[in-house]
Amino acid sequence: MFFRMIRGAFSHQWKKMIMIALTIALGASIATAMINVMLGVGDKVNQELKTYGANITVVPKSSSVLSDLYSMEEGEADTDAYLKESEIGNIKTIFWAFNIVDFTPFIDTNVKLPSGNDVKLKGTWFNHHLELATGETLDTGIRNLRTWWDISEGEWIDEQKESGDLKKVMVGKGLAQKQGISAGDTLKLAGKKGSEELQVTGIYEAGGDEDDEIFAPVETVQKLSGTEGFVSSIEVSALTTPDNELAEQAARDPSSLTIAQYELWYCTAYVSSICYQIQEVITDSVAKPVRQVADSEGAILEKTQLLMILITILSLVGSGLGITNLVTASVMERSKEIGLLKAVGAKDGSISALVLTEVIITGIAGAVAGYFAGFGFAQIIGHSVFGSSIEMKGFVIPIVGVLVIAVTIIGSIPAIRMLLRLQPAEVLHGR
Amino acid sequence: MTKRKMYFRMITASLSRRRSRMLVALLAVAVGATILSGLVTIYYDVPRQMGAQFRNYGANMVFISSGADEKLEMKDVEEGVSFIDSKSLVGVAPYKYETVRIHEQPIVAAGTDITQAKATSPYWKVNGKWPEITGDVLVGKAVAEKLNLSGGDSVNVTYSEGEDENVDDLNLGFDMKVSGILETGGSEEDYIYMSMEDMEGLAGEGSLDVVELSISASRDELKKYEEVISSNVSAIEPRLVKRVTQSESTVLTKLQGLVFLVTAVVLVLTMICVTTTMTAVVTERRKEIGLRKALGASDKSIIREFMGEGLLLGGIGGAIGVVLGYLFAQFVSMNVFAGSISFVPLMIPITIGISVLVTGLACILPVRSATDIDPAIVLKGE
């Protein structure tokens, strides 16, 4: 009988039921879309912030950090300490390897142009193909770490197009203008260990000191300066978690942590723990966060996430109230039916059960439809803003389900109680 | 006059007598209006607030001397800065670099305005204190390690023009106090920083090497400033720090897009939600409409009355929403950006207007369908 009544309600009042289901579906889709976007926004914004370039630099342990100073003084950078080029790939084998987005080595030397001027020549990877000991392969290099460079003439050096000795360089715009160099020219550079004829593939505009420098593949620079197999620094771009107190304490001295704290720190993608892990795999190295990038990244990420959390809460409260409201309105509307049921002797408990079951069945139907609509909205936001899909977290389904059921029950109970208190005769008479 | 009074009375009486249902409808409108005004206010203000956050990345424009013979002086800088909107200016830090000697070691020292340097480079981390008085010096971490200095130490800083060893004896230099150690992870760690007065006392007055500016403005605005300043002040060559400006516009555009889309999706869904609730409340009154028609009321007067009720509800709900939405936006701004949000007066008519429109639209459809039907059928029940 109970089921028959419910079936009857659905077949006779399908218009009203659809209205309720539609509202619940709208609320559920807001909840689904917002929770998923909120959870995914951290990763997405983190990826976007990678356009600022490296957030970690790795340098040799011994005093070579001062090479900058000496070069200012004497115009000659000469330090004994280098990092081994063969170890660079190890960066991609640390605990947080998955969070390492890009990295590239640098080796500097001073060379003489044919005109007699001294310029800084930097060796680096452009789009280097790397095969790791683990069997993985990846392409990495400076192209992704200098997103703000404009190639005003020519093109990037392509390391993969032809193998072997690349006799190519890229010249900064400032230097190119001063020396009258353009793409396609051949440049003779004289280093400490001989000289090379190199072809200029492109002129870049960096908007900084790099505009007065020349970039070439690592091997070329190593040959010119006689440092085969060595590099002087590595820039690493990594996805990190904003620092907290634990991370700051660990950055000062990891040995001051308790074992539990150490585990937590080591297994969280703080910039300090990634630095620590890089130092473990590269001999005699110091990895330090570039505060300009690392700090600002943390601040912006935190703000964006907090903003999204608050907007999500507002929309959840809004959609929750919306659903409650409609359910209350539609239950109250049925005062006459409930009065009749009471008049023919139905118990309060069975009337409540009947109304609640109806509403919950409608709610579940609406919630399922709403979940898929919300999935669609989240993907629209993901694709149009970040150009990639937003990962749908499985645990959002029970959250939305519980939310919808709780909200529908909360919405119907006060209305049902109010109706049960009414006298059947009064209701049937029409107030 | 009396007719209008009667009309008004009918509307208010209907609202007050059917209190519980009207409360439901009012709540729906108010919630919708709150979301509308809250989200739109945030959407308006977020670019400004987020832009301020991006100033964390440091200077986005530098002034350098426009030629070898031109001297960059503080008065030129002031002239250049006068072209920039003072409200969007975060900091202007002049730098003058000289090589000094500490323990006979050559070190690059920078003279600057410390408070301005703090504003243009918020990411500088100082272990110890920032220099507060003249005679204090901020030492880069790498220098501190090399010379084994720590906060509170006193160092003798000497300067000699031309790097001539013999002249050194003549210049006794200054005794300065290390106030703190600077950590940045960049080349700043290789320098020491002191106040401009100390620098001039040490190396004499001279031109500035570079001026760093942090301006809270979009890339296009910055480009405009760059043009205006370079054409008006001959001594200055302004340059944008491409890494900061370009990356900022990339990321900020994405963030704005995100807030825009989220606002749009939530708003559309909320408005539909309000409409369905209003429709449900009005549909319930089909019988009443039938009765009035049977008593001889014209369709027009019924619609007018229902619209009046809807508009009144929409107006009240919208007004509540304006207040609550502003409070919400203020709460968000305080918590996320630690700053007050600017009130957009335009939001008052927009919020109330849209709530009235949505409620009116939600009322008219069910009323229309009820008036179209023969009153006898409606009164009988379906």
Side-chain angles (χ1 to χ4, degrees):
Chain A
M1 184 61 200
F2 183 72
F3 290 106
R4 214 170 132 190
M5 283 176 78
I6 288 181
R7 229 180 305 133
F10 280 103
S11 57
H12 293 305
Q13 299 186 305
W14 61 270
K15 252 188 186 166
K16 224 172 274 166
M17 291 300 175
I18 280 180
M19 187 84 109
I20 300 179
L22 177 68
T23 312
I24 291 175
L26 288 172
S29 70
I30 295 183
T32 311
M34 287 305 296
I35 294 176
N36 277 306
V37 169
M38 180 192 90
L39 293 171
V41 83
D43 290 348
K44 300 283 175 203
V45 174
N46 215 336
Q47 285 282 0
E48 293 300 326
L49 288 171
K50 292 295 120 209
T51 60
Y52 277 98
N55 51 0
I56 296 172
T57 54
V58 189
V59 292
K61 203 179 230 160
S62 26
S63 65
S64 70
V65 268
L66 289 177
S67 74
D68 212 13
L69 261 185
Y70 284 121
S71 69
M72 300 270 311
E73 268 271 279
E74 315 287 344
E76 180 90 10
D78 204 356
T79 47
D80 321 321
Y82 288 107
L83 300 168
K84 291 197 189 84
E85 192 185 353
S86 56
E87 285 181 344
I88 297 170
N90 291 356
I91 292 175
K92 207 58 188 169
T93 62
I94 62 167
F95 183 80
W96 282 107
F98 192 65
N99 280 32
I100 305 286
V101 182
D102 277 300
F103 51 95
T104 189
F106 286 99
I107 174 119
D108 302 0
T109 188
N110 283 311
V111 291
K112 263 193 173 35
L113 290 174
S115 60
N117 290 52
D118 262 327
V119 288
K120 205 176 212 180
L121 177 68
K122 277 190 176 167
T124 188
W125 288 350
F126 290 87
N127 55 343
H128 195 77
H129 186 71
L130 206 58
E131 276 174 29
L132 301 180
T134 54
E136 266 181 277
T137 62
L138 72 145
D139 292 329
T140 183
I142 196 172
R143 282 180 78 154
N144 301 329
L145 291 167
R146 293 287 186 277
T147 48
W148 61 91
W149 277 18
D150 271 339
I151 306 298
S152 49
E153 231 182 278
E155 53 183 34
W156 282 94
I157 292 178
D158 191 348
E159 285 185 40
Q160 289 174 14
K161 212 158 68 184
E162 39 200 303
S163 52
D165 198 10
L166 282 167
K167 299 207 171 221
K168 288 179 173 166
V169 288
M170 292 179 76
V171 181
K173 199 181 179 189
L175 185 69
Q177 274 171 355
K178 269 178 244 162
Q179 300 286 332
I181 302 167
S182 55
D185 290 1
T186 306
L187 217 55
K188 190 166 192 250
L189 298 177
K192 260 181 303 188
K193 297 273 159 71
S195 60
E196 289 269 358
E197 297 247 346
L198 302 163
Q199 196 202 355
V200 180
T201 56
I203 309 287
Y204 60 83
E205 192 190 346
D209 295 343
E210 285 166 348
D211 275 343
D212 291 322
E213 293 170 359
I214 301 179
F215 276 78
V218 168
E219 301 78 36
T220 313
V221 180
Q222 285 170 343
K223 215 188 278 173
L224 281 171
S225 60
T227 51
E228 278 91 346
F230 292 103
V231 296
S232 52
S233 68
I234 307 170
E235 281 189 8
V236 183
S237 175
L239 297 174
T240 59
T241 312
D243 270 3
N244 60 6
E245 242 169 73
L246 172 68
E248 268 168 33
Q249 191 194 343
R252 279 196 295 276
D253 183 12
S255 59
S256 68
L257 303 176
T258 64
I259 293 174
Q261 279 177 324
Y262 178 82
E263 298 254 298
L264 179 65
W265 170 72
Y266 195 89
C267 299
T268 311
Y270 296 125
V271 68
S272 53
S273 54
I274 292 180
C275 282
Y276 185 78
Q277 289 162 12
I278 291 175
Q279 285 173 30
E280 286 178 334
V281 295
I282 298 195
T283 335
D284 287 333
S285 68
V286 177
K288 49 185 183 175
V290 180
R291 297 211 84 87
Q292 182 182 12
V293 178
D295 270 18
S296 318
E297 230 170 52
I300 289 168
L301 263 185
E302 266 175 15
K303 306 277 162 187
T304 319
Q305 270 171 326
L306 193 55
L307 179 72
M308 286 305 291
I309 289 175
L310 290 176
I311 293 183
T312 307
I313 291 176
L314 176 74
S315 14
L316 286 187
V317 170
S319 56
L321 280 176
I323 296 175
T324 317
N325 230 331
L326 185 82
V327 171
T328 312
S330 57
V331 172
M332 280 197 301
E333 210 181 310
R334 299 169 60 183
S335 54
K336 224 164 237 180
E337 185 194 333
I338 290 170
L340 187 64
L341 280 172
K342 266 185 101 170
V344 297
K347 292 212 177 64
D348 285 3
S350 53
I351 295 176
S352 312
L354 181 72
V355 177
L356 271 181
T357 316
E358 271 178 43
V359 172
I360 288 175
I361 289 176
T362 323
I364 289 172
V368 172
Y371 179 80
F372 288 105
F375 177 90
F377 285 126
Q379 297 316 326
I380 290 174
I381 292 174
H383 276 281
S384 45
V385 179
F386 302 109
S388 58
S389 57
I390 283 176
E391 193 194 339
M392 299 301 278
K393 302 262 188 333
F395 64 86
V396 174
I397 300 176
I399 292 180
V400 173
V402 168
L403 193 85
V404 165
I405 292 176
V407 154
T408 37
I409 292 177
I410 292 170
S412 24
I413 283 178
I416 293 174
R417 285 185 51 166
M418 204 186 87
L419 294 178
L420 289 178
R421 245 183 282 126
L422 298 174
Q423 290 297 316
E426 231 175 80
V427 177
L428 287 176
H429 184 66
R431 231 184 262 231
Chain B
M1 188 64 202
T2 45
K3 205 175 170 190
R4 197 175 294 166
K5 226 181 199 169
M6 180 65 196
Y7 173 66
F8 194 68
R9 212 167 147 189
M10 274 175 80
I11 292 175
T12 46
S14 144
L15 288 183
S16 65
R17 211 157 321 125
R18 307 161 40 86
R19 217 178 297 143
S20 54
R21 278 118 214 250
M22 283 306 142
L23 220 60
V24 164
L26 188 64
L27 191 63
V29 180
V31 168
T34 305
I35 290 184
L36 172 79
S37 82
L39 285 188
V40 175
T41 310
I42 290 174
Y43 171 69
Y44 263 114
D45 222 45
V46 154
R48 185 175 69 82
Q49 309 250 34
M50 269 292 177
Q53 292 303 318
F54 276 89
R55 298 294 4 102
N56 223 348
Y57 277 104
N60 48 8
M61 190 192 264
V62 292
F63 288 170
I64 53 171
S65 166
S66 55
D69 339 317
E70 289 278 1
K71 275 191 169 181
L72 185 60
E73 278 172 30
M74 210 52 212
K75 65 170 175 35
D76 301 319
V77 176
E78 276 160 19
E79 198 186 337
V81 167
S82 67
F83 290 101
I84 299 166
D85 180 16
S86 61
K87 257 187 281 172
S88 57
L89 197 66
V90 179
V92 185
Y95 288 94
K96 178 175 157 66
Y97 294 100
E98 293 292 347
T99 306
V100 299
R101 280 169 190 272
I102 297 175
H103 302 334
E104 290 304 307
Q105 301 265 19
I107 304 285
V108 176
T112 185
D113 182 337
I114 298 289
T115 38
Q116 292 294 328
K118 216 169 160 176
T120 49
S121 314
Y123 56 92
W124 284 10
K125 190 179 161 201
V126 173
N127 289 324
K129 270 193 241 143
W130 285 83
E132 278 158 7
I133 47 168
T134 54
D136 277 358
V137 63
L138 185 63
V139 178
K141 196 181 170 197
V143 177
E145 270 166 16
K146 188 184 171 200
L147 301 175
N148 205 4
L149 295 172
S150 55
D153 287 359
S154 181
V155 287
N156 186 260
V157 184
T158 58
Y159 171 78
S160 59
E161 219 165 341
E163 310 288 333
D164 193 338
E165 292 291 331
N166 298 329
V167 192
D168 252 9
D169 304 330
L170 301 172
N171 191 339
L172 291 174
F174 284 169
D175 277 328
M176 302 187 85
K177 198 174 133 245
V178 178
S179 68
I181 308 295
L182 175 66
E183 224 186 299
T184 65
S187 57
E188 294 94 339
E189 289 186 359
D190 300 327
Y191 305 148
I192 64 170
Y193 291 84
M194 60 181 78
S195 70
M196 203 51 111
E197 291 82 36
D198 284 339
M199 191 56 167
E200 282 173 353
L202 208 57
E205 289 191 22
S207 63
L208 301 169
D209 288 303
V210 64
V211 182
E212 286 188 356
L213 293 96
S214 176
I215 305 164
S216 179
S218 71
R219 193 147 135 253
D220 297 335
E221 287 174 284
L222 286 174
K223 281 204 170 132
K224 227 175 279 162
Y225 287 142
E226 190 185 16
E227 268 170 39
V228 172
I229 293 169
S230 73
S231 59
N232 282 302
V233 189
S234 61
I236 297 177
E237 187 189 329
R239 272 196 200 167
L240 296 187
V241 183
K242 224 170 153 203
R243 174 189 189 178
V244 175
T245 51
Q246 190 141 330
S247 309
E248 178 174 323
S249 67
T250 318
V251 181
L252 210 53
T253 318
K254 295 268 156 113
L255 282 181
Q256 268 174 7
L258 173 72
V259 179
F260 174 75
L261 259 185
V262 163
T263 308
V265 167
V266 173
L267 273 187
V268 168
L269 296 185
T270 313
M271 289 309 138
I272 300 178
C273 210
V274 172
T275 317
T276 53
T277 309
M278 280 308 291
T279 313
V281 171
V282 176
T283 313
E284 207 191 329
R285 298 169 65 185
R286 283 164 69 99
K287 261 199 189 143
E288 190 188 327
I289 295 171
L291 186 63
R292 280 205 203 151
K293 264 191 95 170
L295 288 173
S298 69
D299 284 3
K300 223 171 119 192
S301 73
I302 293 175
I303 290 176
R304 244 189 38 207
E305 198 205 318
F306 271 81
M307 285 303 284
E309 265 182 56
L311 298 189
L312 197 61
L313 267 180
I316 298 172
I320 296 174
V322 168
V323 176
L324 290 182
Y326 176 68
L327 289 181
F328 172 77
Q330 183 74 3
F331 173 79
V332 168
S333 180
M334 281 298 189
N335 277 282
V336 179
F337 302 109
S340 166
I341 210 159
S342 53
F343 181 68
V344 190
L346 196 65
M347 277 318 293
I348 302 176
I350 291 181
T351 311
I352 296 182
I354 292 183
S355 335
V356 167
L357 200 77
V358 169
T359 38
L361 210 71
C363 288
I364 202 152
L365 295 175
V367 174
R368 263 271 159 81
S369 75
T371 49
D372 284 347
I373 302 168
D374 193 342
I377 298 175
V378 175
L379 284 176
K380 216 180 115 202
E382 303 278 327

